[in-house]
Amino acid sequence: METPDEKLWLDRKIRSWERLWEDLEIGYLDRDIIDILVEFFLRPKSFTTSSCSGRIVVMDAEYPWDKEETMIIFKKHEPVTVDEIIEVVERPLAYRPWLSVQGPIIHVETLDIDEAFEVLEIARRAGFKHSGILASTKKGILVELRTGIRVNIPLGSRDNLWVDKERLRDIISLANNALRQAKDRLARLRDELRKARPASLWSPPSIPPAAQHYLKLLGVSPAVK
Amino acid sequence: METPDEKLWLDRKIRSWERLWEDLEIGYLDRDIIDILVEFFLRPKSFTTSSCSGRIVVMDAEYPWDKEETMIIFKKHEPVTVDEIIEVVERPLAYRPWLSVQGPIIHVETLDIDEAFEVLEIARRAGFKHSGILASTKKGILVELRTGIRVNIPLGSRDNLWVDKERLRDIISLANNALRQAKDRLARLRDELRKARPASLWSPPSIPPAAQHYLKLLGVSPAVK
């Protein structure tokens, strides 16, 4: 096992902290999840890289796990309407349309293996049961947090849909409901992180204006280094 | 992080080795996967506990991730026929029928964290991309190996199906095809394990007659302790 280099890891954490607030400004970031990401940054031995709060996508794919041949043709982090989906699945397709609900995914980089297992336990308490430690390199120990929430529905073949409009309505209501459950898990993760917050928090090198809002929301005022 | 106790871990490995051959005799064990389990046992610092070679199930559930309220009403580790599935989904149901294809899942217990990461790398090379280290206790470090192959199709509500027989035929052909891909990943895992086989192999306390067949298949003759 390769163990993380502390200097390299901390450099990445600071860069990721700065990018977090840049991404928020640009609109790249999923607002549903920012306070959770901040909770991870406040832990002295963790930070997050990519993350998703849960989403509904339509893929054009033979099978959605064949990543190379899969095209995401629709993506939304909130509930969808029947019309939005019909508009997408009626386009000409290369393979077939799949409607997929994906629960939240958060990638955490920890400085050591103890912290990795602690993050894993917090996540499991919040219902992120498909979480695991994926790799350990000089850059950090990568922990992936995932729930079991996953719907993957083939809606037809390239040329015709398997479901009529009425059925599609039922399927979409089911998908929206699954997405809601995914967002609920985020709330549970937020609570568990808060309960497990370390006594001494990370001191970021700077606190951008946008960050102040979220730190206030979390009720913390970390020292700036 | 709790580190495994070597004596406790080895006791469990020996018990699991013996149970493997008992389970095979009783018919509990999925024959598609035995040679892979044996490969793990041959590694001095690994053994497997539960495993599944991939299967098609029908669940009666509101959502299949609500484990408590989910009933598996059909399960098969090989391709299914349309008639088999129709027979199941036409029964009275409490929630709704879900047709689900689950790729292989293998639980490996390793003696140390280095072996855990090595197993993880072997698995990833074989296309088990959703694998991770789940926990570390006195009993061992638990590594779960999983592919991304997963179909989860709601087929209707409690009272009526969303798909007609013709469409069900298409969906089942897609499911069978996904199961075939799942089994192909097993073959890749077998190859990668073989390539990464350690120079010195584990010496089991005994080699039951059924085991001899599989050890011969793998081209190894480990010393008995």
Side-chain angles (χ1 to χ4, degrees), chain A residues 1 63 65 114 120 124 131 133-134 150 152 162 167 177 181, chain B residues 1 63 65 114 120 124 130-131 133-134 150 152 162 167 177 181:
Chain A
M1 169 193 167
Y63 294 96
W65 50 86
D114 282 327
L120 214 50
R124 201 146 294 139
S131 304
I133 301 168
L134 300 195
R150 181 107 203 183
N152 247 345
W162 289 342
R167 293 300 162 244
N177 210 342
Q181 292 183 42
Chain B
M1 171 192 165
Y63 294 96
W65 50 87
D114 282 328
L120 214 51
R124 201 145 294 140
H130 289 241
S131 304
I133 299 169
L134 301 196
R150 181 107 202 184
N152 248 347
W162 287 344
R167 291 302 162 245
N177 210 343
Q181 292 183 41

PDB file of all heavy atoms in Angstrom, chain A residues 1 63 65 114 120 124 131 133-134 150 152 162 167 177 181, chain B residues 1 63 65 114 120 124 130-131 133-134 150 152 162 167 177 181:
ATOM      1  N   MET A   1       0.837  -1.207   0.000  1.00  0.00           N
ATOM      2  CA  MET A   1       0.000   0.000   0.000  1.00  0.00           C
ATOM      3  C   MET A   1       0.869   1.252   0.000  1.00  0.00           C
ATOM      4  O   MET A   1       1.749   1.412   0.845  1.00  0.00           O
ATOM      5  CB  MET A   1      -0.867  -0.022   1.264  1.00  0.00           C
ATOM      6  CG  MET A   1      -1.587   1.270   1.529  1.00  0.00           C
ATOM      7  SD  MET A   1      -2.280   1.291   3.216  1.00  0.00           S
ATOM      8  CE  MET A   1      -2.702   3.024   3.351  1.00  0.00           C
ATOM      9  N   TYR A  63     -25.942  -0.912 -23.262  1.00  0.00           N
ATOM     10  CA  TYR A  63     -26.002  -1.149 -21.818  1.00  0.00           C
ATOM     11  C   TYR A  63     -25.280  -0.001 -21.139  1.00  0.00           C
ATOM     12  O   TYR A  63     -24.189   0.360 -21.563  1.00  0.00           O
ATOM     13  CB  TYR A  63     -25.312  -2.476 -21.457  1.00  0.00           C
ATOM     14  CG  TYR A  63     -26.042  -3.660 -22.020  1.00  0.00           C
ATOM     15  CD1 TYR A  63     -25.646  -4.217 -23.227  1.00  0.00           C
ATOM     16  CD2 TYR A  63     -27.152  -4.174 -21.378  1.00  0.00           C
ATOM     17  CE1 TYR A  63     -26.353  -5.286 -23.773  1.00  0.00           C
ATOM     18  CE2 TYR A  63     -27.862  -5.236 -21.909  1.00  0.00           C
ATOM     19  CZ  TYR A  63     -27.453  -5.792 -23.099  1.00  0.00           C
ATOM     20  OH  TYR A  63     -28.155  -6.826 -23.633  1.00  0.00           O
ATOM     21  N   TRP A  65     -23.476   0.334 -18.627  1.00  0.00           N
ATOM     22  CA  TRP A  65     -22.149   0.135 -18.022  1.00  0.00           C
ATOM     23  C   TRP A  65     -21.048   0.050 -19.083  1.00  0.00           C
ATOM     24  O   TRP A  65     -19.890  -0.016 -18.737  1.00  0.00           O
ATOM     25  CB  TRP A  65     -22.124  -1.107 -17.123  1.00  0.00           C
ATOM     26  CG  TRP A  65     -22.679  -2.325 -17.763  1.00  0.00           C
ATOM     27  CD1 TRP A  65     -21.991  -3.205 -18.562  1.00  0.00           C
ATOM     28  CD2 TRP A  65     -24.011  -2.794 -17.684  1.00  0.00           C
ATOM     29  NE1 TRP A  65     -22.849  -4.186 -18.993  1.00  0.00           N
ATOM     30  CE2 TRP A  65     -24.085  -3.976 -18.463  1.00  0.00           C
ATOM     31  CE3 TRP A  65     -25.161  -2.339 -17.041  1.00  0.00           C
ATOM     32  CZ2 TRP A  65     -25.271  -4.700 -18.610  1.00  0.00           C
ATOM     33  CZ3 TRP A  65     -26.327  -3.067 -17.191  1.00  0.00           C
ATOM     34  CH2 TRP A  65     -26.377  -4.230 -17.964  1.00  0.00           C
ATOM     35  N   ASP A 114      -6.807   5.401   8.878  1.00  0.00           N
ATOM     36  CA  ASP A 114      -7.756   5.508   9.994  1.00  0.00           C
ATOM     37  C   ASP A 114      -8.892   6.459   9.651  1.00  0.00           C
ATOM     38  O   ASP A 114     -10.064   6.176   9.888  1.00  0.00           O
ATOM     39  CB  ASP A 114      -7.047   6.012  11.255  1.00  0.00           C
ATOM     40  CG  ASP A 114      -6.244   4.904  11.927  1.00  0.00           C
ATOM     41  OD1 ASP A 114      -6.687   3.745  11.841  1.00  0.00           O
ATOM     42  OD2 ASP A 114      -5.189   5.195  12.513  1.00  0.00           O
ATOM     43  N   LEU A 120     -15.869   6.152   6.328  1.00  0.00           N
ATOM     44  CA  LEU A 120     -16.698   5.030   5.882  1.00  0.00           C
ATOM     45  C   LEU A 120     -17.785   4.705   6.899  1.00  0.00           C
ATOM     46  O   LEU A 120     -18.938   4.438   6.543  1.00  0.00           O
ATOM     47  CB  LEU A 120     -15.779   3.824   5.716  1.00  0.00           C
ATOM     48  CG  LEU A 120     -16.060   2.821   4.626  1.00  0.00           C
ATOM     49  CD1 LEU A 120     -16.275   3.498   3.295  1.00  0.00           C
ATOM     50  CD2 LEU A 120     -14.875   1.854   4.523  1.00  0.00           C
ATOM     51  N   ARG A 124     -21.797   4.988   6.419  1.00  0.00           N
ATOM     52  CA  ARG A 124     -22.672   3.823   6.562  1.00  0.00           C
ATOM     53  C   ARG A 124     -23.820   4.137   7.510  1.00  0.00           C
ATOM     54  O   ARG A 124     -24.946   3.733   7.278  1.00  0.00           O
ATOM     55  CB  ARG A 124     -21.855   2.618   7.032  1.00  0.00           C
ATOM     56  CG  ARG A 124     -22.568   1.334   6.716  1.00  0.00           C
ATOM     57  CD  ARG A 124     -21.637   0.196   6.362  1.00  0.00           C
ATOM     58  NE  ARG A 124     -20.929   0.447   5.130  1.00  0.00           N
ATOM     59  CZ  ARG A 124     -19.646   0.161   4.935  1.00  0.00           C
ATOM     60  NH1 ARG A 124     -18.935  -0.373   5.898  1.00  0.00           N
ATOM     61  NH2 ARG A 124     -19.092   0.420   3.767  1.00  0.00           N
ATOM     62  N   SER A 131     -20.570   2.176   0.075  1.00  0.00           N
ATOM     63  CA  SER A 131     -19.334   2.956   0.126  1.00  0.00           C
ATOM     64  C   SER A 131     -18.136   2.052   0.329  1.00  0.00           C
ATOM     65  O   SER A 131     -18.255   0.976   0.902  1.00  0.00           O
ATOM     66  CB  SER A 131     -19.421   3.942   1.297  1.00  0.00           C
ATOM     67  OG  SER A 131     -20.568   4.747   1.176  1.00  0.00           O
ATOM     68  N   ILE A 133     -13.391   1.988   0.274  1.00  0.00           N
ATOM     69  CA  ILE A 133     -12.081   2.597  -0.001  1.00  0.00           C
ATOM     70  C   ILE A 133     -11.608   2.041  -1.333  1.00  0.00           C
ATOM     71  O   ILE A 133     -11.545   0.829  -1.516  1.00  0.00           O
ATOM     72  CB  ILE A 133     -11.078   2.255   1.116  1.00  0.00           C
ATOM     73  CG1 ILE A 133     -11.600   2.772   2.459  1.00  0.00           C
ATOM     74  CG2 ILE A 133      -9.702   2.823   0.791  1.00  0.00           C
ATOM     75  CD1 ILE A 133     -10.826   2.242   3.660  1.00  0.00           C
ATOM     76  N   LEU A 134     -11.298   2.938  -2.268  1.00  0.00           N
ATOM     77  CA  LEU A 134     -11.009   2.469  -3.620  1.00  0.00           C
ATOM     78  C   LEU A 134      -9.528   2.348  -3.937  1.00  0.00           C
ATOM     79  O   LEU A 134      -9.123   1.495  -4.707  1.00  0.00           O
ATOM     80  CB  LEU A 134     -11.635   3.411  -4.657  1.00  0.00           C
ATOM     81  CG  LEU A 134     -13.139   3.610  -4.633  1.00  0.00           C
ATOM     82  CD1 LEU A 134     -13.599   4.261  -5.925  1.00  0.00           C
ATOM     83  CD2 LEU A 134     -13.872   2.292  -4.452  1.00  0.00           C
ATOM     84  N   ARG A 150     -30.683   3.116  -7.008  1.00  0.00           N
ATOM     85  CA  ARG A 150     -30.286   3.016  -8.407  1.00  0.00           C
ATOM     86  C   ARG A 150     -31.424   2.416  -9.214  1.00  0.00           C
ATOM     87  O   ARG A 150     -31.867   1.314  -8.943  1.00  0.00           O
ATOM     88  CB  ARG A 150     -29.059   2.099  -8.486  1.00  0.00           C
ATOM     89  CG  ARG A 150     -28.524   1.909  -9.866  1.00  0.00           C
ATOM     90  CD  ARG A 150     -27.248   2.663 -10.021  1.00  0.00           C
ATOM     91  NE  ARG A 150     -27.008   2.934 -11.404  1.00  0.00           N
ATOM     92  CZ  ARG A 150     -25.915   3.548 -11.852  1.00  0.00           C
ATOM     93  NH1 ARG A 150     -25.006   3.958 -11.033  1.00  0.00           N
ATOM     94  NH2 ARG A 150     -25.761   3.787 -13.132  1.00  0.00           N
ATOM     95  N   ASN A 152     -32.450   1.719 -13.280  1.00  0.00           N
ATOM     96  CA  ASN A 152     -31.843   1.662 -14.605  1.00  0.00           C
ATOM     97  C   ASN A 152     -32.866   1.042 -15.533  1.00  0.00           C
ATOM     98  O   ASN A 152     -32.947  -0.162 -15.651  1.00  0.00           O
ATOM     99  CB  ASN A 152     -30.624   0.724 -14.546  1.00  0.00           C
ATOM    100  CG  ASN A 152     -29.336   1.474 -14.750  1.00  0.00           C
ATOM    101  OD1 ASN A 152     -29.349   2.615 -15.204  1.00  0.00           O
ATOM    102  ND2 ASN A 152     -28.242   0.838 -14.426  1.00  0.00           N
ATOM    103  N   TRP A 162     -40.961   1.069 -25.534  1.00  0.00           N
ATOM    104  CA  TRP A 162     -41.676  -0.072 -24.977  1.00  0.00           C
ATOM    105  C   TRP A 162     -42.850   0.365 -24.112  1.00  0.00           C
ATOM    106  O   TRP A 162     -43.628  -0.465 -23.662  1.00  0.00           O
ATOM    107  CB  TRP A 162     -40.739  -0.917 -24.105  1.00  0.00           C
ATOM    108  CG  TRP A 162     -39.723  -1.676 -24.898  1.00  0.00           C
ATOM    109  CD1 TRP A 162     -39.778  -1.950 -26.234  1.00  0.00           C
ATOM    110  CD2 TRP A 162     -38.535  -2.290 -24.410  1.00  0.00           C
ATOM    111  NE1 TRP A 162     -38.684  -2.692 -26.605  1.00  0.00           N
ATOM    112  CE2 TRP A 162     -37.908  -2.906 -25.511  1.00  0.00           C
ATOM    113  CE3 TRP A 162     -37.936  -2.374 -23.159  1.00  0.00           C
ATOM    114  CZ2 TRP A 162     -36.711  -3.609 -25.384  1.00  0.00           C
ATOM    115  CZ3 TRP A 162     -36.751  -3.069 -23.038  1.00  0.00           C
ATOM    116  CH2 TRP A 162     -36.139  -3.679 -24.139  1.00  0.00           C
ATOM    117  N   ARG A 167     -47.828   5.075 -19.198  1.00  0.00           N
ATOM    118  CA  ARG A 167     -46.866   4.293 -18.421  1.00  0.00           C
ATOM    119  C   ARG A 167     -45.625   5.125 -18.109  1.00  0.00           C
ATOM    120  O   ARG A 167     -45.048   5.025 -17.026  1.00  0.00           O
ATOM    121  CB  ARG A 167     -46.430   3.037 -19.191  1.00  0.00           C
ATOM    122  CG  ARG A 167     -47.527   2.030 -19.369  1.00  0.00           C
ATOM    123  CD  ARG A 167     -48.045   1.558 -18.026  1.00  0.00           C
ATOM    124  NE  ARG A 167     -49.352   0.934 -18.165  1.00  0.00           N
ATOM    125  CZ  ARG A 167     -50.468   1.410 -17.627  1.00  0.00           C
ATOM    126  NH1 ARG A 167     -50.468   2.532 -16.940  1.00  0.00           N
ATOM    127  NH2 ARG A 167     -51.596   0.765 -17.772  1.00  0.00           N
ATOM    128  N   ASN A 177     -39.567  10.039  -7.285  1.00  0.00           N
ATOM    129  CA  ASN A 177     -39.642   9.613  -5.902  1.00  0.00           C
ATOM    130  C   ASN A 177     -38.315   9.020  -5.425  1.00  0.00           C
ATOM    131  O   ASN A 177     -37.856   9.280  -4.307  1.00  0.00           O
ATOM    132  CB  ASN A 177     -40.763   8.575  -5.783  1.00  0.00           C
ATOM    133  CG  ASN A 177     -41.385   8.604  -4.431  1.00  0.00           C
ATOM    134  OD1 ASN A 177     -40.800   9.143  -3.495  1.00  0.00           O
ATOM    135  ND2 ASN A 177     -42.554   8.015  -4.312  1.00  0.00           N
ATOM    136  N   GLN A 181     -35.707  10.334  -2.414  1.00  0.00           N
ATOM    137  CA  GLN A 181     -35.067   9.497  -1.392  1.00  0.00           C
ATOM    138  C   GLN A 181     -33.550   9.702  -1.380  1.00  0.00           C
ATOM    139  O   GLN A 181     -32.914   9.707  -0.332  1.00  0.00           O
ATOM    140  CB  GLN A 181     -35.375   8.021  -1.632  1.00  0.00           C
ATOM    141  CG  GLN A 181     -36.835   7.674  -1.409  1.00  0.00           C
ATOM    142  CD  GLN A 181     -37.089   6.185  -1.587  1.00  0.00           C
ATOM    143  OE1 GLN A 181     -36.319   5.346  -1.144  1.00  0.00           O
ATOM    144  NE2 GLN A 181     -38.180   5.864  -2.255  1.00  0.00           N
TER     145      GLN A 181
ATOM    146  N   MET B   1      -8.149   2.462  12.909  1.00  0.00           N
ATOM    147  CA  MET B   1      -8.378   1.217  12.165  1.00  0.00           C
ATOM    148  C   MET B   1      -8.000   0.025  13.030  1.00  0.00           C
ATOM    149  O   MET B   1      -6.887  -0.042  13.550  1.00  0.00           O
ATOM    150  CB  MET B   1      -7.496   1.244  10.911  1.00  0.00           C
ATOM    151  CG  MET B   1      -7.461  -0.076  10.166  1.00  0.00           C
ATOM    152  SD  MET B   1      -6.150  -0.059   8.910  1.00  0.00           S
ATOM    153  CE  MET B   1      -6.058  -1.818   8.548  1.00  0.00           C
ATOM    154  N   TYR B  63     -39.435  -0.069  -3.596  1.00  0.00           N
ATOM    155  CA  TYR B  63     -38.130   0.219  -4.183  1.00  0.00           C
ATOM    156  C   TYR B  63     -37.169  -0.870  -3.719  1.00  0.00           C
ATOM    157  O   TYR B  63     -37.152  -1.186  -2.527  1.00  0.00           O
ATOM    158  CB  TYR B  63     -37.613   1.586  -3.730  1.00  0.00           C
ATOM    159  CG  TYR B  63     -38.465   2.712  -4.253  1.00  0.00           C
ATOM    160  CD1 TYR B  63     -39.464   3.266  -3.477  1.00  0.00           C
ATOM    161  CD2 TYR B  63     -38.289   3.170  -5.550  1.00  0.00           C
ATOM    162  CE1 TYR B  63     -40.282   4.270  -3.973  1.00  0.00           C
ATOM    163  CE2 TYR B  63     -39.094   4.172  -6.060  1.00  0.00           C
ATOM    164  CZ  TYR B  63     -40.089   4.721  -5.272  1.00  0.00           C
ATOM    165  OH  TYR B  63     -40.876   5.692  -5.775  1.00  0.00           O
ATOM    166  N   TRP B  65     -34.191  -1.007  -2.942  1.00  0.00           N
ATOM    167  CA  TRP B  65     -33.152  -0.711  -1.935  1.00  0.00           C
ATOM    168  C   TRP B  65     -33.745  -0.598  -0.523  1.00  0.00           C
ATOM    169  O   TRP B  65     -32.988  -0.457   0.423  1.00  0.00           O
ATOM    170  CB  TRP B  65     -32.357   0.548  -2.286  1.00  0.00           C
ATOM    171  CG  TRP B  65     -33.226   1.711  -2.610  1.00  0.00           C
ATOM    172  CD1 TRP B  65     -33.754   2.612  -1.733  1.00  0.00           C
ATOM    173  CD2 TRP B  65     -33.660   2.120  -3.909  1.00  0.00           C
ATOM    174  NE1 TRP B  65     -34.504   3.538  -2.401  1.00  0.00           N
ATOM    175  CE2 TRP B  65     -34.463   3.265  -3.740  1.00  0.00           C
ATOM    176  CE3 TRP B  65     -33.452   1.616  -5.196  1.00  0.00           C
ATOM    177  CZ2 TRP B  65     -35.057   3.918  -4.809  1.00  0.00           C
ATOM    178  CZ3 TRP B  65     -34.045   2.275  -6.258  1.00  0.00           C
ATOM    179  CH2 TRP B  65     -34.834   3.402  -6.063  1.00  0.00           C
ATOM    180  N   ASP B 114      -2.266  -4.205   2.820  1.00  0.00           N
ATOM    181  CA  ASP B 114      -1.561  -4.320   1.545  1.00  0.00           C
ATOM    182  C   ASP B 114      -2.240  -5.339   0.637  1.00  0.00           C
ATOM    183  O   ASP B 114      -2.442  -5.107  -0.551  1.00  0.00           O
ATOM    184  CB  ASP B 114      -0.109  -4.753   1.768  1.00  0.00           C
ATOM    185  CG  ASP B 114       0.745  -3.582   2.233  1.00  0.00           C
ATOM    186  OD1 ASP B 114       0.459  -2.445   1.818  1.00  0.00           O
ATOM    187  OD2 ASP B 114       1.679  -3.801   3.021  1.00  0.00           O
ATOM    188  N   LEU B 120      -7.872  -5.537  -4.679  1.00  0.00           N
ATOM    189  CA  LEU B 120      -8.647  -4.480  -5.319  1.00  0.00           C
ATOM    190  C   LEU B 120      -8.107  -4.161  -6.714  1.00  0.00           C
ATOM    191  O   LEU B 120      -8.879  -3.971  -7.666  1.00  0.00           O
ATOM    192  CB  LEU B 120      -8.546  -3.236  -4.435  1.00  0.00           C
ATOM    193  CG  LEU B 120      -9.716  -2.298  -4.340  1.00  0.00           C
ATOM    194  CD1 LEU B 120     -10.987  -3.047  -4.017  1.00  0.00           C
ATOM    195  CD2 LEU B 120      -9.437  -1.268  -3.240  1.00  0.00           C
ATOM    196  N   ARG B 124      -9.982  -4.693 -10.273  1.00  0.00           N
ATOM    197  CA  ARG B 124     -10.229  -3.575 -11.178  1.00  0.00           C
ATOM    198  C   ARG B 124      -9.740  -3.897 -12.587  1.00  0.00           C
ATOM    199  O   ARG B 124     -10.403  -3.556 -13.567  1.00  0.00           O
ATOM    200  CB  ARG B 124      -9.556  -2.309 -10.630  1.00  0.00           C
ATOM    201  CG  ARG B 124     -10.179  -1.077 -11.222  1.00  0.00           C
ATOM    202  CD  ARG B 124     -10.239   0.088 -10.256  1.00  0.00           C
ATOM    203  NE  ARG B 124     -11.122  -0.168  -9.140  1.00  0.00           N
ATOM    204  CZ  ARG B 124     -10.859   0.188  -7.898  1.00  0.00           C
ATOM    205  NH1 ARG B 124      -9.734   0.804  -7.603  1.00  0.00           N
ATOM    206  NH2 ARG B 124     -11.722  -0.071  -6.941  1.00  0.00           N
ATOM    207  N   HIS B 130     -16.653  -1.462  -9.382  1.00  0.00           N
ATOM    208  CA  HIS B 130     -17.331  -0.934  -8.206  1.00  0.00           C
ATOM    209  C   HIS B 130     -16.861  -1.632  -6.935  1.00  0.00           C
ATOM    210  O   HIS B 130     -17.615  -1.814  -5.997  1.00  0.00           O
ATOM    211  CB  HIS B 130     -18.839  -1.037  -8.374  1.00  0.00           C
ATOM    212  CG  HIS B 130     -19.372  -0.066  -9.388  1.00  0.00           C
ATOM    213  ND1 HIS B 130     -20.274   0.914  -9.071  1.00  0.00           N
ATOM    214  CD2 HIS B 130     -19.075   0.105 -10.686  1.00  0.00           C
ATOM    215  CE1 HIS B 130     -20.529   1.628 -10.151  1.00  0.00           C
ATOM    216  NE2 HIS B 130     -19.830   1.152 -11.150  1.00  0.00           N
ATOM    217  N   SER B 131     -15.611  -2.048  -6.925  1.00  0.00           N
ATOM    218  CA  SER B 131     -15.063  -2.758  -5.768  1.00  0.00           C
ATOM    219  C   SER B 131     -14.486  -1.780  -4.760  1.00  0.00           C
ATOM    220  O   SER B 131     -14.056  -0.688  -5.116  1.00  0.00           O
ATOM    221  CB  SER B 131     -13.958  -3.706  -6.235  1.00  0.00           C
ATOM    222  OG  SER B 131     -14.457  -4.573  -7.225  1.00  0.00           O
ATOM    223  N   ILE B 133     -12.838  -1.466  -0.316  1.00  0.00           N
ATOM    224  CA  ILE B 133     -12.595  -2.014   1.020  1.00  0.00           C
ATOM    225  C   ILE B 133     -13.706  -1.486   1.920  1.00  0.00           C
ATOM    226  O   ILE B 133     -13.922  -0.274   1.998  1.00  0.00           O
ATOM    227  CB  ILE B 133     -11.220  -1.559   1.538  1.00  0.00           C
ATOM    228  CG1 ILE B 133     -10.122  -2.065   0.595  1.00  0.00           C
ATOM    229  CG2 ILE B 133     -10.991  -2.067   2.968  1.00  0.00           C
ATOM    230  CD1 ILE B 133      -8.752  -1.461   0.860  1.00  0.00           C
ATOM    231  N   LEU B 134     -14.420  -2.376   2.587  1.00  0.00           N
ATOM    232  CA  LEU B 134     -15.610  -1.956   3.337  1.00  0.00           C
ATOM    233  C   LEU B 134     -15.368  -1.773   4.827  1.00  0.00           C
ATOM    234  O   LEU B 134     -16.007  -0.938   5.462  1.00  0.00           O
ATOM    235  CB  LEU B 134     -16.745  -2.976   3.163  1.00  0.00           C
ATOM    236  CG  LEU B 134     -17.247  -3.254   1.758  1.00  0.00           C
ATOM    237  CD1 LEU B 134     -18.585  -3.963   1.819  1.00  0.00           C
ATOM    238  CD2 LEU B 134     -17.398  -1.967   0.958  1.00  0.00           C
ATOM    239  N   ARG B 150     -25.787  -3.761 -13.758  1.00  0.00           N
ATOM    240  CA  ARG B 150     -26.955  -3.683 -12.891  1.00  0.00           C
ATOM    241  C   ARG B 150     -28.153  -3.181 -13.685  1.00  0.00           C
ATOM    242  O   ARG B 150     -28.110  -2.084 -14.229  1.00  0.00           O
ATOM    243  CB  ARG B 150     -26.645  -2.707 -11.753  1.00  0.00           C
ATOM    244  CG  ARG B 150     -27.763  -2.552 -10.762  1.00  0.00           C
ATOM    245  CD  ARG B 150     -27.402  -3.257  -9.489  1.00  0.00           C
ATOM    246  NE  ARG B 150     -28.595  -3.562  -8.747  1.00  0.00           N
ATOM    247  CZ  ARG B 150     -28.597  -4.117  -7.548  1.00  0.00           C
ATOM    248  NH1 ARG B 150     -27.476  -4.455  -6.982  1.00  0.00           N
ATOM    249  NH2 ARG B 150     -29.704  -4.372  -6.937  1.00  0.00           N
ATOM    250  N   ASN B 152     -32.348  -2.698 -13.163  1.00  0.00           N
ATOM    251  CA  ASN B 152     -33.374  -2.647 -12.119  1.00  0.00           C
ATOM    252  C   ASN B 152     -34.631  -2.111 -12.765  1.00  0.00           C
ATOM    253  O   ASN B 152     -34.822  -0.904 -12.832  1.00  0.00           O
ATOM    254  CB  ASN B 152     -32.921  -1.651 -11.037  1.00  0.00           C
ATOM    255  CG  ASN B 152     -32.612  -2.347  -9.747  1.00  0.00           C
ATOM    256  OD1 ASN B 152     -32.947  -3.507  -9.567  1.00  0.00           O
ATOM    257  ND2 ASN B 152     -31.969  -1.628  -8.841  1.00  0.00           N
ATOM    258  N   TRP B 162     -46.835  -2.879 -16.720  1.00  0.00           N
ATOM    259  CA  TRP B 162     -46.643  -1.755 -17.620  1.00  0.00           C
ATOM    260  C   TRP B 162     -46.250  -2.208 -19.018  1.00  0.00           C
ATOM    261  O   TRP B 162     -46.162  -1.403 -19.931  1.00  0.00           O
ATOM    262  CB  TRP B 162     -45.528  -0.840 -17.072  1.00  0.00           C
ATOM    263  CG  TRP B 162     -45.945  -0.048 -15.884  1.00  0.00           C
ATOM    264  CD1 TRP B 162     -47.212   0.183 -15.443  1.00  0.00           C
ATOM    265  CD2 TRP B 162     -45.094   0.636 -14.967  1.00  0.00           C
ATOM    266  NE1 TRP B 162     -47.197   0.956 -14.322  1.00  0.00           N
ATOM    267  CE2 TRP B 162     -45.902   1.255 -14.006  1.00  0.00           C
ATOM    268  CE3 TRP B 162     -43.709   0.797 -14.868  1.00  0.00           C
ATOM    269  CZ2 TRP B 162     -45.393   2.010 -12.959  1.00  0.00           C
ATOM    270  CZ3 TRP B 162     -43.192   1.546 -13.826  1.00  0.00           C
ATOM    271  CH2 TRP B 162     -44.042   2.147 -12.883  1.00  0.00           C
ATOM    272  N   ARG B 167     -43.227  -7.002 -25.239  1.00  0.00           N
ATOM    273  CA  ARG B 167     -42.189  -6.152 -24.665  1.00  0.00           C
ATOM    274  C   ARG B 167     -41.410  -6.892 -23.584  1.00  0.00           C
ATOM    275  O   ARG B 167     -40.212  -6.730 -23.438  1.00  0.00           O
ATOM    276  CB  ARG B 167     -42.824  -4.895 -24.036  1.00  0.00           C
ATOM    277  CG  ARG B 167     -43.417  -3.938 -25.036  1.00  0.00           C
ATOM    278  CD  ARG B 167     -42.378  -3.479 -26.027  1.00  0.00           C
ATOM    279  NE  ARG B 167     -43.016  -2.912 -27.200  1.00  0.00           N
ATOM    280  CZ  ARG B 167     -42.936  -3.438 -28.422  1.00  0.00           C
ATOM    281  NH1 ARG B 167     -42.255  -4.547 -28.631  1.00  0.00           N
ATOM    282  NH2 ARG B 167     -43.519  -2.856 -29.437  1.00  0.00           N
ATOM    283  N   ASN B 177     -28.897 -11.149 -21.684  1.00  0.00           N
ATOM    284  CA  ASN B 177     -27.660 -10.676 -22.274  1.00  0.00           C
ATOM    285  C   ASN B 177     -26.772  -9.999 -21.222  1.00  0.00           C
ATOM    286  O   ASN B 177     -25.554 -10.191 -21.192  1.00  0.00           O
ATOM    287  CB  ASN B 177     -28.018  -9.693 -23.392  1.00  0.00           C
ATOM    288  CG  ASN B 177     -26.976  -9.707 -24.470  1.00  0.00           C
ATOM    289  OD1 ASN B 177     -25.870 -10.189 -24.249  1.00  0.00           O
ATOM    290  ND2 ASN B 177     -27.321  -9.179 -25.615  1.00  0.00           N
ATOM    291  N   GLN B 181     -22.943 -11.045 -19.836  1.00  0.00           N
ATOM    292  CA  GLN B 181     -21.800 -10.139 -19.645  1.00  0.00           C
ATOM    293  C   GLN B 181     -21.237 -10.268 -18.230  1.00  0.00           C
ATOM    294  O   GLN B 181     -20.028 -10.192 -18.022  1.00  0.00           O
ATOM    295  CB  GLN B 181     -22.220  -8.697 -19.900  1.00  0.00           C
ATOM    296  CG  GLN B 181     -22.561  -8.422 -21.352  1.00  0.00           C
ATOM    297  CD  GLN B 181     -22.901  -6.952 -21.577  1.00  0.00           C
ATOM    298  OE1 GLN B 181     -22.252  -6.059 -21.036  1.00  0.00           O
ATOM    299  NE2 GLN B 181     -23.923  -6.698 -22.364  1.00  0.00           N
TER     300      GLN B 181
END
